[in-house]
């Protein structure tokens, strides 16, 4: 499945290159990119309401530091405005917790202090939804705030180093709390909310 998304991203990026070559001086430019990197989830809040095997209602609220390593890969297609700002649609595949990986779709707004094609610092805000499959009962919602540095490779290519903070709201169908020896399945659950905090360390290639 990941291969299919990578191929789609490459096709979109090639389309962006062809369209931009026809009129490279315009103030609105079609752009694209690929991102890949490391995701470090370090904190989790949870709020559970479920019924145990004896039919008793259980309420659990809490939070704890819990370090989990994951990765992410994204494709981007968007518009650059007046050489300073861009708006992109992102699609990809990432991990948010141990054995929990999702497909993501998001919008990102970025600002480039030295210009989109030049060396320099930029930052962005991003928000989107995702799911482990198209059959998720509730969407996974996430937001990011990021800071990066762009290195110009030539007139058409640049490389970014990015660090971002990510908050993800998840609703797993099953609850597993190993510390309290608790397992609850979807037919027992009334509420299953998890909020994950993570740092992303990303390399991006821009077209």
């Amino acid at each position: 499945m990941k291969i299919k998304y990578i191929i789609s991203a490459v096709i979109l990026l090639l389309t962006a290159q062809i369209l931009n070559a026809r009129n490279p001086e315009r103030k609105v430019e079609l752009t694209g990119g690929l991102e890949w990197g490391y995701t470090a989830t370090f904190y989790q809040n949870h709020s559970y309401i479920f019924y145990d095997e004896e039919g008793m209602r259980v309420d659990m609220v809490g939070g704890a530091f819990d370090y989990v390593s994951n990765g992410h890969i994204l494709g981007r297609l968007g518009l650059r405005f007046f050489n300073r700002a861009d708006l992109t649609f992102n699609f990809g595949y990432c991990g948010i917790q141990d054995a929990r990986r999702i497909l993501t779709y998001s919008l990102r707004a970025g600002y480039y202090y030295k210009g989109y094609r030049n060396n320099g610092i930029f930052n962005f805000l991003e928000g989107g939804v995702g799911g482990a499959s198209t059959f998720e009962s509730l969407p996974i919602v996430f937001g990011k705030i990021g800071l990066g540095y762009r290195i110009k490779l030539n007139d058409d290519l640049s490389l970014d180093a990015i660090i971002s903070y990510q908050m993800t709201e998840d609703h797993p169908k099953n609850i597993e709390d190993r510390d309290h020896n608790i397992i609850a399945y979807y037919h027992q659950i009334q509420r299953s909310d998890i909020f994950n905090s993570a740092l992303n360390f990303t390399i991006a290639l821009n077209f």
Side-chain angles (χ1 to χ4, degrees):
M1 183 176 289
K2 288 186 285 186
I3 294 175
K4 179 178 70 174
Y5 283 93
I6 294 171
I7 292 173
S8 298
V10 172
I11 292 172
L12 290 173
L13 296 174
L14 291 175
T15 302
Q17 286 293 91
I18 293 170
L19 292 175
N20 290 336
R22 295 176 181 176
N23 189 4
E25 301 301 324
R26 60 188 172 186
K27 294 182 178 180
V28 177
E29 179 186 26
L30 187 65
T31 65
L34 290 173
E35 298 185 5
W36 58 97
Y38 174 75
T39 299
T41 301
F42 61 88
Y43 191 81
Q44 181 186 99
N45 282 309
H46 64 264
S47 176
Y48 302 141
I49 299 176
F50 61 93
Y51 290 89
D52 63 18
E53 294 178 354
E54 298 178 353
M56 300 294 291
R57 174 176 163 139
V58 179
D59 294 67
M60 295 181 62
V61 178
F65 288 95
D66 183 20
Y67 189 84
V68 178
S69 297
N70 267 302
H72 59 270
I73 182 168
L74 302 174
R76 290 188 280 106
L77 185 65
L79 294 173
R80 184 267 297 169
F81 303 97
F82 300 101
N83 199 39
R84 293 283 182 177
D86 71 345
L87 182 66
T88 64
F89 171 71
N90 308 329
F91 53 95
Y93 185 78
C94 72
I96 58 173
Q97 254 298 333
D98 189 22
R100 183 67 163 157
R101 293 165 184 83
I102 62 173
L103 302 175
T104 62
Y105 310 90
S106 63
L107 289 176
R108 177 187 297 178
Y111 186 80
Y112 302 82
Y113 295 92
K114 297 293 186 179
Y116 184 84
R117 295 293 182 185
N118 300 324
N119 296 336
I121 294 173
F122 65 91
N123 54 21
F124 66 85
L125 292 173
E126 181 177 344
V129 297
S133 73
T134 56
F135 301 102
E136 290 280 351
S137 58
L138 290 173
I140 297 167
V141 181
F142 66 93
K144 295 180 188 178
I145 181 169
L147 178 69
Y149 189 86
R150 174 156 294 180
I151 300 172
K152 180 179 178 180
L153 301 178
N154 57 38
D155 290 340
D156 297 317
L157 297 176
S158 60
L159 190 68
D160 297 340
I162 304 169
I163 183 172
S164 61
Y165 169 75
Q166 177 175 307
M167 171 67 79
T168 305
E169 179 184 355
D170 193 9
H171 308 280
K173 293 181 179 180
N174 301 319
I175 296 171
E176 182 177 355
D177 189 325
R178 298 172 184 171
D179 294 335
H180 298 89
N181 196 27
I182 291 174
I183 297 178
Y185 299 100
Y186 68 93
H187 60 276
Q188 301 171 262
I189 297 171
Q190 282 194 331
R191 173 186 291 173
S192 175
D193 298 334
I194 293 178
F195 299 89
N196 293 307
S197 292
L199 290 176
N200 296 314
F201 302 90
T202 306
I203 298 295
L205 183 64
N206 310 290
F207 298 80

